[in-house]
Amino acid sequence: MAVDYQSLAVRGVQALSPYQPGKPIEELARELGLDPAAIIKLASNENPLGPSEKALAAAREALADLCLYPDGNGFELKQALAKRFGVEMSQITLGNGSNDILEVIARCFADADAEVIFSQYAFAVYPLVTQAIGARGVAVPARDWGHDLDAMAAAVTDRTKLIFVANPNNPTGTVHHGDAMLAFLEKVPERVLVVLDEAYCEYLQGDGYADGVELLSRFPNLIVCRTFSKAWGLAALRVGYSISSPEIADILNRVRQPFNVDSIALAAATAVLADEDYLKRSCDVNAAGMKQLETAFAEMALPYIPSSGNFIAVEVGERAGDVYQGLLQRGVIVRPVGGYGMPRHLRVSIGLPEENARFVEALKQTLESLGQGR
Ligand SMILES: *Cc1c(COP(=O)(O)O)cnc(C)c1O
């Protein structure tokens, strides 16, 4: 008798569709018969600078010990992070990318009876991990493409266990200032955990933006998640971390895999934290590229959502799918965001100046060939 194995999966998983990553360069090269070197990818918010030399050197050195298990406690990296942020090592949890931590948090604190709150247009991983554990996701309508923090606090019920807040948010790039975050946290009951996902916090320049680590001492229900994938340029290695109370970190540590961050990743991440010059260049290149794209979009009369990340969502109109395809044909990979409920937008990661220029040129050609100013 044939068994329907799909039906054996737990209910949340049966209805799950996997996370859609940006199209890899090699895949487009195969499809179009192009040289991979002729393709630019501005689709996954990766750091266009390439990795830090210090991180590379440390990674190479770590290769000598490939036969050994990594330090399951990540002592050196935790020590470096604790020093940088003025927290205790016991407050830090390391993850195989911060995605790993987001999932571990959901598994530790929510179950099938729980409600998990996130915003419309927020990072796709929140609904995904929520559904995987069979909890009920509550998507609160956005305000001006950003999180409506008042409405999110008002959506808390007796069953609410977790609230995910992305600041800045991906894919919209919207950000909240410290006073708004403070007012929000004051409204959330202490029994509800707030996961403040700060994957892009390093790019925030200027005063007033919410800094989750500064809020931790006042809000024991806060978990701040950060990553080495973006401004620190180590997306391939998969390293992220959370900072929380030691009690919460202790819980997360029970569920995370014992060796979830490998030795190369640990070594490179520890080394890059000492490379302030790299971080500064990441931010400078990003700020300049953001201006470059904003200027181009304004010239082309394309509306965009002002962004505090290393990417920008531009409104290309109802034929966004065709525009995406047209860009692919011209060797430029960006990110469609129809899956986020933004069918008129494309998300573009900020590249090097020449990459941004090539994207703009390809966008102009594509829009022209589609016979639309927009
Ligand atoms: C990129 C991103 C992450 C980090 O992903 P990693 O797993 O650390 O690579 C987390 N949250 C948001 C909102 C992101 O955009």
Side-chain angles (χ1 to χ4, degrees), residues 48-61:
L49 290 177
S52 133
E53 284 301 328
K54 286 189 176 160
L56 271 181
R60 273 192 212 104
E61 203 172 316

Side-chain angles (χ1 to χ4, degrees), residues 76-115:
E76 285 187 15
L77 178 55
K78 280 190 191 171
Q79 190 176 51
L81 286 167
K83 189 159 168 241
R84 183 179 186 91
F85 297 118
V87 299
E88 299 297 322
M89 285 172 67
S90 58
Q91 295 180 257
I92 298 171
T93 307
L94 300 181
N96 192 256
S98 56
N99 272 295
D100 181 27
I101 309 228
L102 297 172
E103 200 223 321
V104 168
I105 291 170
R107 282 205 287 145
C108 285
F109 292 102
D111 58 20
D113 296 324
E115 289 177 358

Side-chain angles (χ1 to χ4, degrees), residues 11-239:
R11 205 180 319 143
V13 174
Q14 278 183 33
L16 210 57
S17 18
Y19 180 78
Q20 294 280 345
K23 195 178 191 62
I25 287 178
E26 299 294 336
E27 186 179 301
L28 183 63
R30 277 196 303 275
E31 288 171 4
L32 294 184
L34 283 179
D35 178 0
I39 294 173
I40 58 171
K41 182 181 175 207
L42 301 174
S44 299
N45 303 346
E46 292 148 332
N47 196 316
L49 290 177
S52 133
E53 284 301 328
K54 286 189 176 160
L56 271 181
R60 273 192 212 104
E61 203 172 316
L63 290 176
D65 288 327
L66 278 193
C67 54
L68 304 179
Y69 278 100
D71 173 4
N73 289 318
F75 182 87
E76 285 187 15
L77 178 55
K78 280 190 191 171
Q79 190 176 51
L81 286 167
K83 189 159 168 241
R84 183 179 186 91
F85 297 118
V87 299
E88 299 297 322
M89 285 172 67
S90 58
Q91 295 180 257
I92 298 171
T93 307
L94 300 181
N96 192 256
S98 56
N99 272 295
D100 181 27
I101 309 228
L102 297 172
E103 200 223 321
V104 168
I105 291 170
R107 282 205 287 145
C108 285
F109 292 102
D111 58 20
D113 296 324
E115 289 177 358
V116 176
I117 295 173
F118 40 79
S119 175
Q120 180 188 21
Y121 311 130
F123 190 40
V125 167
Y126 313 149
L128 217 134
V129 298
T130 300
Q131 199 180 326
I133 55 171
R136 191 170 100 81
V138 178
V140 174
R143 193 159 70 192
D144 298 332
W145 301 107
H147 292 31
D148 184 341
L149 293 177
D150 292 334
M152 290 174 77
V156 170
T157 71
D158 289 347
R159 292 167 69 176
T160 305
K161 295 285 189 181
L162 287 177
I163 307 180
F164 285 107
V165 176
N167 201 54
N169 182 44
N170 170 18
T172 59
T174 50
V175 71
H176 285 286
H177 280 75
D179 44 5
M181 200 59 72
L182 197 70
F184 165 71
L185 288 167
E186 274 167 354
K187 281 185 221 153
V188 176
E190 256 186 53
R191 61 170 176 83
V192 176
L193 296 187
V194 176
V195 181
L196 189 51
D197 182 350
E198 297 187 331
Y200 301 95
C201 63
E202 294 87 358
Y203 293 108
L204 295 176
Q205 289 173 349
D207 299 332
Y209 293 113
D211 179 335
V213 175
E214 284 176 10
L215 295 166
L216 272 173
S217 58
R218 287 192 50 187
F219 300 97
N221 55 334
L222 188 58
I223 308 177
V224 179
C225 293
R226 294 183 176 178
T227 180
F228 284 92
S229 298
K230 310 285 164 54
W232 293 109
L234 296 176
L237 290 180
R238 320 300 308 122
V239 204

